[in-house]
Amino acid sequence: MTMTDVNIDEILAPMPDKVKKNRRKHIVKKDASAGCRPQIEANTRTVPGIITQRGCSYAGCKGVVVGPIKDMLTITHGPIGCAYYSWGTRRNKARTDDSTPPDQIYSTMCFSTDMQESDIVFGGEKKLAKMIDEVVEIFHPRAINICATCPIGLIGDDLGAVSKAAEERHGIPIIHYNCEGYKGVSQSAGHHIANNQIMERMIGTGTEKVDGKYVLNFLGEYNIGGDAWEIERVLEEIGYTVGSTLTGDSAYATIKNMHTAHLNLVQCHRSINYIAEMMETKYGIPWLKVNFIGIDATIDTLRDIAQCFGDKELIARTELVIERELAAVTPEIERYQKICRGKTAFIFVGGSRSHHYQFLLRNLGMEVMVAGYEFAHRDDYEGREVIPTIKSDADSKNIPELHVKPDTEMYRPPHLRLKMSQEKYDELVASGVLNEYRGMYPDMVNGGIMIDDANHFETEELVKVFKPDLIFTGIKDKYVTHKMGLPSKQIHSYDYSGPYTCFRGAVTFAKDVAHSLSTPAWKMITPPWEQSITEQR
Ligand code: CFN
Ligand code: HCA
């Protein structure tokens, strides 16, 4: 069977009619000949009882966005499980620096009010207030985060009032997040709640201007396995100063002054677009969508950043660094390409990596046949235009607006968003003045499948149909595919590896993928589709 023969209705056939009808809207096959982008249903409620990979609002707020701020002590207000299971598994690394001594790093620790039955019945406000007093006395943090779990909203504890009173007692910022797990339909709601509070309570409260000719903030980069450090190494080499990341290896001490930077880079758009937008509105700081996953993607990104400043010296230095880094990694990449070339993969992750890693896999000669997100919104799937890149001064006259607002909920054709005719848009894309419209669908191979909120049944069925060589998953679906004789790589936390970003990260990734593909263990398992019924029993 070729990729284009795959029939989604047949895959869903065993489901009950109501579920089938629902799930059909979340799966789209790429058809390059159709010319337009089809719509996908996304960011809607998961079918109850289906085995989803999704997490909750608390996970998105505490686990993803605010937890990595290393010098803030983050308290989970709730029964112990939520704090325990969001402790350390994401591998968002942090280290000491000029603004943060070792005894002020709390992101590796786990703090919880450990609510018991009597607290749920009689209320947990007193317990929370007491805990704040205790952590201040023992740890002396600069600032505290308080994240709510489901029962807190249900019993009506007033986090705002407890935090305000404690701020008055202790004279430090105590920021609360009403990110009860049931809010919204996934982690995505928690990202938004965290973004609002970081913007409201942190950014712009500092008075120090970050020194540097070209100061960047790096939004939507969480330093998983050291990703941000590899990117910063290259950016600093070129001559940029990174004011702060959001939020990998970041500190309250520097987030306060982020409003003094020249440009915001946005790596994971899904989790942080709200702050990028708000900073542009409030402080006039433009933002640029970037991608440091994949060698070609990194090179394009470095060139785009340099073009934003338009300094000839900076542009020349960018080319020098690209040349030097490429020379160092190309022989190694070529070695691993021999193992990876022609192989196929699936990738299911949260809200941005399933698109970004398509580029790195292509650098290795691999193709992604099925790609899915847990909780992305429609524009992440259907695509959005990359910020127009001005290739020369003369070109800039052709573009009405340099920074284009992404439409996070509804799809509108890019030429309309850029306020120009379709002909003008096509002309600018063809001449290379505008970058192309990018996203999972536009960048996907023809016949490939794009899937939202995939469940275990669909994952298994798609594996049977496509028989990929490797699958990139999270912890929940990893072992399902192992049992099918398929090697999997954890693409949330990279198992125990990383960084995977930029140039050196691409080599580490290539090595890990090549190892997975050539491990003999997988050949010793016979996948069910190659077994007879009696063997399967
Ligand atoms: S580091 Fe990011 S890149 S922040 Fe987001 S959407 Fe999660 S924790 Mo897991 S790996 Fe994943 Fe993305 Fe942005 Fe990570 S793809 S699901 S909420 N994610
Ligand atoms: C989260 C965090 C997570 C979980 C990974 C997984 C991460 O969404 O709560 O399900 O394997 O990257 O740690 O996405």
Side-chain angles (χ1 to χ4, degrees):
M1 191 187 326
T2 64
M3 276 174 80
T4 37
D5 294 335
V6 171
N7 185 331
I8 300 169
D9 295 317
E10 270 173 28
I11 291 174
L12 300 181
M15 289 179 166
D17 284 347
K18 209 172 153 199
V19 178
K20 204 185 320 179
K21 198 165 156 230
N22 174 315
R23 290 301 305 155
R24 187 62 189 84
K25 295 185 219 145
H26 296 262
I27 308 176
V28 168
K29 185 158 82 170
K30 167 100 177 217
D31 180 359
S33 64
C36 62
R37 274 173 292 277
Q39 295 186 359
I40 188 165
E41 179 121 339
N43 194 29
T44 53
R45 206 161 77 102
T46 301
V47 176
I50 223 164
I51 306 178
T52 171
Q53 263 70 254
R54 276 180 170 175
C56 67
S57 175
Y58 161 83
C61 179
K62 188 269 180 184
V64 173
V65 183
V66 305
I69 306 175
K70 60 187 172 187
D71 63 347
M72 293 185 84
L73 192 149
T74 300
I75 298 173
T76 296
H77 187 36
I80 197 66
C82 302
Y84 182 77
Y85 287 109
S86 59
W87 180 21
T89 53
R90 189 159 166 260
R91 300 188 68 239
N92 42 273
K93 295 190 168 195
R95 65 186 168 201
T96 175
D97 59 30
D98 294 347
S99 68
T100 316
D103 63 348
Q104 296 263 351
I105 296 184
Y106 309 106
S107 52
T108 49
M109 300 178 190
C110 180
F111 299 91
S112 170
T113 46
D114 183 21
M115 295 273 281
Q116 302 289 321
E117 201 176 326
S118 60
D119 305 315
I120 299 289
V121 174
F122 296 107
E125 290 177 7
K126 284 199 185 104
K127 195 170 192 187
L128 176 62
K130 189 163 172 276
M131 178 162 191
I132 297 171
D133 294 346
E134 273 177 27
V135 295
V136 170
E137 195 186 321
I138 301 168
F139 295 98
H140 315 292
R142 287 173 181 149
I144 293 176
N145 289 318
I146 298 168
C147 296
T149 61
C150 293
I152 302 310
L154 299 176
I155 64 173
D157 274 5
D158 188 343
L159 294 197
V162 176
S163 309
K164 195 154 179 276
E167 273 188 341
E168 278 156 23
R169 281 200 304 284
H170 300 295
I172 56 167
I174 300 179
I175 303 171
H176 73 283
Y177 304 84
N178 283 111
C179 56
E180 285 85 354
Y182 55 74
K183 287 195 170 155
V185 297
S186 67
Q187 292 93 315
S188 184
H191 299 151
H192 204 153
I193 292 164
N195 274 228
N196 287 348
Q197 284 294 68
I198 291 174
M199 189 67 197
E200 181 85 15
R201 300 290 317 271
M202 298 187 208
I203 296 169
T205 59
T207 49
E208 281 167 44
K209 191 172 175 331
V210 183
D211 266 352
K213 193 167 175 197
Y214 302 114
V215 182
L216 309 171
N217 292 318
F218 198 9
L219 277 55
E221 171 45 58
Y222 300 92
N223 202 31
I224 310 303
D227 276 353
W229 294 334
E230 166 61 2
I231 300 166
E232 276 168 31
R233 176 185 73 78
V234 175
L235 289 175
E236 280 165 13
E237 198 92 18
I238 294 173
Y240 299 107
T241 306
V242 179
S244 178
T245 50
L246 275 186
T247 54
D249 195 27
S250 65
Y252 174 78
T254 45
I255 293 175
K256 286 193 301 192
N257 299 314
M258 278 180 69
H259 60 297
T260 67
H262 300 119
L263 178 68
N264 282 337
L265 308 182
V266 176
Q267 170 72 24
C268 168
H269 177 270
R270 179 68 276 128
S271 61
I272 214 89
N273 68 81
Y274 319 97
I275 288 179
E277 286 282 328
M278 288 188 277
M279 284 183 79
E280 182 164 17
T281 308
K282 189 163 176 191
Y283 302 109
I285 301 176
W287 60 272
L288 180 73
K289 177 73 193 79
V290 296
N291 180 18
F292 283 100
I293 310 284
I295 292 180
D296 296 332
T298 299
I299 294 172
D300 284 350
T301 288
L302 292 174
R303 288 185 177 146
D304 283 353
I305 303 170
Q307 289 288 349
C308 280
F309 292 102
D311 174 340
K312 288 202 170 61
E313 236 174 81
L314 190 74
I315 293 170
R317 177 98 191 123
T318 302
E319 293 305 323
L320 251 171
V321 170
I322 291 174
E323 200 181 315
R324 200 199 50 207
E325 294 288 328
L326 261 185
V329 300
T330 305
E332 291 220 56
I333 293 282
E334 281 171 356
R335 200 149 64 94
Y336 296 120
Q337 269 170 346
K338 288 189 189 122
I339 297 169
C340 301
R341 194 169 287 127
K343 298 282 196 299
T344 58
F346 282 14
I347 180 160
F348 294 118
V349 216
S352 76
R353 292 184 176 185
S354 305
H355 176 223
H356 289 153
Y357 275 89
Q358 288 181 332
F359 299 98
L360 183 44
L361 286 162
R362 269 187 204 139
N363 287 154
L364 302 179
M366 291 175 69
E367 199 48 77
V368 176
M369 299 161 97
V370 178
Y373 290 130
E374 288 170 26
F375 51 74
H377 297 204
R378 280 184 53 197
D379 61 333
D380 302 303
Y381 288 105
E382 294 168 13
R384 67 180 78 83
E385 69 286 353
V386 182
I387 304 298
T389 306
I390 306 223
K391 308 277 187 208
S392 74
D393 289 349
D395 290 336
S396 66
K397 294 191 195 77
N398 294 324
I399 298 179
E401 280 175 16
L402 176 59
H403 295 286
V404 186
K405 301 242 181 294
D407 192 346
T408 48
E409 299 303 334
M410 291 294 291
Y411 166 69
R412 273 191 294 136
H415 67 280
L416 291 185
R417 290 198 224 168
L418 280 161
K419 301 189 189 83
M420 61 174 79
S421 67
Q422 178 76 64
E423 294 75 48
K424 183 77 191 157
Y425 176 81
D426 291 342
E427 184 195 309
L428 291 175
V429 169
S431 62
V433 176
L434 281 181
N435 281 332
E436 291 208 41
Y437 206 62
R438 306 305 285 268
M440 185 182 273
Y441 189 83
D443 288 322
M444 192 143 200
V445 67
N446 195 31
I449 302 274
M450 174 166 88
I451 182 164
D452 173 64
D453 188 18
N455 53 65
H456 283 188
F457 171 76
E458 289 159 355
T459 307
E460 284 186 48
E461 294 307 302
L462 287 164
V463 166
K464 284 183 206 157
V465 172
F466 282 99
K467 305 182 180 51
D469 297 294
L470 185 59
I471 182 162
F472 294 92
T473 57
I475 201 73
K476 304 180 195 95
D477 37 357
K478 183 180 177 80
Y479 300 101
V480 177
T481 58
H482 276 186
K483 286 178 193 161
M484 299 178 85
L486 183 62
S488 81
K489 178 96 201 94
Q490 242 268 41
I491 203 67
H492 296 258
S493 64
Y494 313 152
D495 295 307
Y496 307 96
S497 188
Y500 284 164
T501 43
C502 248
F503 298 98
R504 291 184 191 167
V507 175
T508 309
F509 180 80
K511 187 169 98 187
D512 290 350
V513 169
H515 280 175
S516 295
L517 290 172
S518 44
T519 298
W522 303 110
K523 294 199 182 69
M524 295 170 192
I525 300 170
T526 311
W529 62 83
E530 282 173 14
Q531 290 173 350
S532 67
I533 298 290
T534 32
E535 273 175 320
Q536 281 185 33
R537 286 192 187 124

